[in-house]
Every structure is written in structure tokens, then in C-alpha cells.
Amino acid sequence: MDDAVDIIEQELGGQIPEGLEALADEQLLALADLLHDAKERQKRELEAGLEESLNIVPRLMRGSVRKILFG
């Protein structure tokens, strides 16, 4: 069970909340997969939103603003 707990704690970025330790390894791994997928989807949507927001920036400044936002 330690491996499943370690995996979900890595996805959460901290200690597993009380009560989740009672779940079976398969359930913890399924939850870790769901968390990972949700974080990836959130990351993609945030990037898309930032790209879309560049439409309000004048065309000549977009390159500079993109460089500031995205490094």
C-alpha cells in the first residue's frame, strides 16, 4: 500500500488526507490517475486561455508579451 500512497501523495503535492488511507491500492491508483488527468487538462486549458487572451494585445506587441508570459 505504501507505493499507492506515495503515488497519490506525489499527485497531491503533500500528505494523503485522512480517510483515503482506507482505500484499496487499486482505488488509490485510480484516484491518482484522475488527479493527474485533471491537472494536465487544467494546464492545457490555462495555456489555451493565455494564448486566447493575446488576441487583445496589439499584433506588433504580441511577440514581446508572449515572451514575458511564457519565458
Side-chain angles (χ1 to χ4, degrees), residues 2 4 8 17-18 25-27 34 44 62:
D2 289 334
I8 199 158
E18 256 184 68
D25 284 355
E26 297 82 26
Q27 294 171 315
L34 290 171
R44 285 191 310 270
R62 287 183 191 168

Side-chain angles (χ1 to χ4, degrees), residues 27-39:
Q27 294 171 315
L28 287 174
L29 293 173
L31 181 57
D33 285 342
L34 290 171
L35 289 169
H36 179 77
D37 291 346
K39 288 190 321 188

Side-chain angles (χ1 to χ4, degrees), residues 1-56:
M1 179 136 166
D2 289 334
D3 292 336
V5 170
D6 291 342
I7 291 170
I8 199 158
E9 284 180 343
Q10 184 179 8
E11 285 300 326
L12 291 172
Q15 191 173 8
I16 189 171
E18 256 184 68
L20 289 184
E21 294 170 343
L23 296 175
D25 284 355
E26 297 82 26
Q27 294 171 315
L28 287 174
L29 293 173
L31 181 57
D33 285 342
L34 290 171
L35 289 169
H36 179 77
D37 291 346
K39 288 190 321 188
E40 287 297 314
R41 185 175 55 251
Q42 182 182 31
K43 179 182 172 185
R44 285 191 310 270
E45 290 176 2
L46 179 60
E47 289 172 355
L50 286 172
E51 279 293 329
E52 188 176 321
S53 69
L54 288 175
N55 289 334
I56 63 170

